[in-house]
Amino acid sequence: MQFFNLHTHKFTRNPNVLELVNQYPWEFDATIPTYSIGIHPWYIEAARLESDLQLIDEKLSLPECLALGECGLDKRIEIPLDIQTTVFRKQIALAEKHNKPVVLHLVAAFDELIAIKKELNVTVPMIIHGFSKNAQLAKQLLDNGFYLSFGKYLLRNPELKSVFQAVPNDRFFLETDTVEETIEEVYALAANYKNLTLESLQNQIDRNFKLVFKK
């Protein structure tokens, strides 16, 4: 594995990249070789919730399903937070059942996330995808055992450089999410920011991958 893309919505078939392709249960594509699967808070629908959770349960048992997600909490949408929280808790239970890490979508609900992690005594790794916040929040999340994944905002926001540099090398991943740039471009910028060679960065993320995804 030369590159690992922690979160992407586009399967590129690049032989040099292990892509964790985001999948939703209601539009599952069996041709994608490695993926995560989950219910994004934007797309919670009561009518199909049980069938969605059942499919997630089934797919998490498979080796090609590397993680649960993306799932999480978002205070800036119309779906009530209590409904989001209920669905989120059910998904965490499935991740624990299958011992798979969780890829998280979080908007303005970090205190609630930390509280849920503590209350449920979550043992599987939890990764905040698309991290874009300040150093204080990054430290709080790291202190509570979370991993951080960087991509779009690292490319777009130079002010995130110092935040990224302060994250310990064994606690981050890189991703493309929905941007047009390649994961190779994200790696190149990250290596520059961390003052690492590309090979050193690749080796570090490979170690992180093996630890978190038990590969």
Side-chain angles (χ1 to χ4, degrees):
M1 180 179 69
Q2 291 183 295
F3 300 94
F4 173 55
N5 191 342
L6 182 279
H7 180 72
T8 179
H9 290 259
K10 182 171 61 176
F11 177 43
T12 68
R13 292 179 170 81
N14 184 334
N16 297 322
V17 183
L18 177 59
E19 295 174 315
L20 192 57
V21 180
N22 187 82
Q23 295 237 53
Y24 300 123
W26 55 91
E27 55 181 24
F28 182 77
D29 182 351
T31 67
I32 294 174
T34 51
Y35 57 87
S36 65
I37 188 167
I39 304 171
H40 193 294
W42 294 357
Y43 306 128
I44 294 169
E45 287 195 14
R48 65 165 190 242
L49 180 59
E50 290 311 313
S51 62
D52 285 349
L53 289 168
Q54 182 178 352
L55 186 68
I56 291 168
D57 190 12
E58 292 172 5
K59 298 305 178 185
L60 282 171
S61 70
L62 303 175
E64 56 267 30
C65 182
L66 301 186
L68 171 75
E70 62 183 301
C71 62
L73 304 170
D74 192 328
K75 283 188 173 179
R76 294 180 184 155
I77 60 175
E78 292 184 0
I79 296 172
L81 191 64
D82 62 334
I83 293 175
Q84 294 185 47
T85 301
T86 298
V87 175
F88 183 43
R89 285 168 174 266
K90 289 182 177 182
Q91 293 185 89
I92 290 174
L94 293 177
E96 288 281 327
K97 174 183 174 181
H98 296 283
N99 196 28
K100 296 283 176 80
V102 182
V103 178
L104 295 164
H105 167 94
L106 254 293
V107 177
F110 291 99
D111 288 343
E112 289 83 354
L113 170 68
I114 292 168
I116 289 170
K117 184 177 188 289
K118 288 179 178 178
E119 180 193 342
L120 299 181
N121 191 27
V122 178
T123 63
V124 295
M126 304 185 84
I127 310 151
I128 311 286
H129 106 79
F131 189 76
S132 64
K133 305 304 179 184
N134 60 37
Q136 181 180 1
L137 180 56
K139 184 179 185 304
Q140 183 184 13
L141 290 166
L142 293 166
D143 288 348
N144 280 281
F146 293 92
Y147 291 79
L148 305 179
S149 182
F150 295 82
K152 176 170 69 175
Y153 298 103
L154 197 66
L155 294 168
R156 305 282 191 265
N157 181 9
E159 293 181 3
L160 202 57
K161 176 181 179 179
S162 60
V163 177
F164 176 65
Q165 288 174 323
V167 175
N169 287 355
D170 62 351
R171 298 293 293 281
F172 75 84
F173 290 96
L174 300 173
E175 63 176 66
T176 57
D177 195 7
T178 58
V179 299
E180 290 302 313
E181 289 91 342
T182 64
I183 193 65
E184 291 91 339
E185 291 174 270
V186 180
Y187 265 70
L189 180 63
N192 176 266
Y193 281 179
K194 284 286 190 176
N195 196 26
L196 295 171
T197 65
L198 180 60
E199 183 180 8
S200 295
L201 178 63
Q202 289 172 318
N203 291 336
Q204 179 64 62
I205 292 180
D206 187 55
R207 288 192 293 271
N208 297 352
F209 171 79
K210 288 174 179 174
L211 177 66
V212 170
F213 292 88
K214 298 179 174 59
K215 297 293 182 183

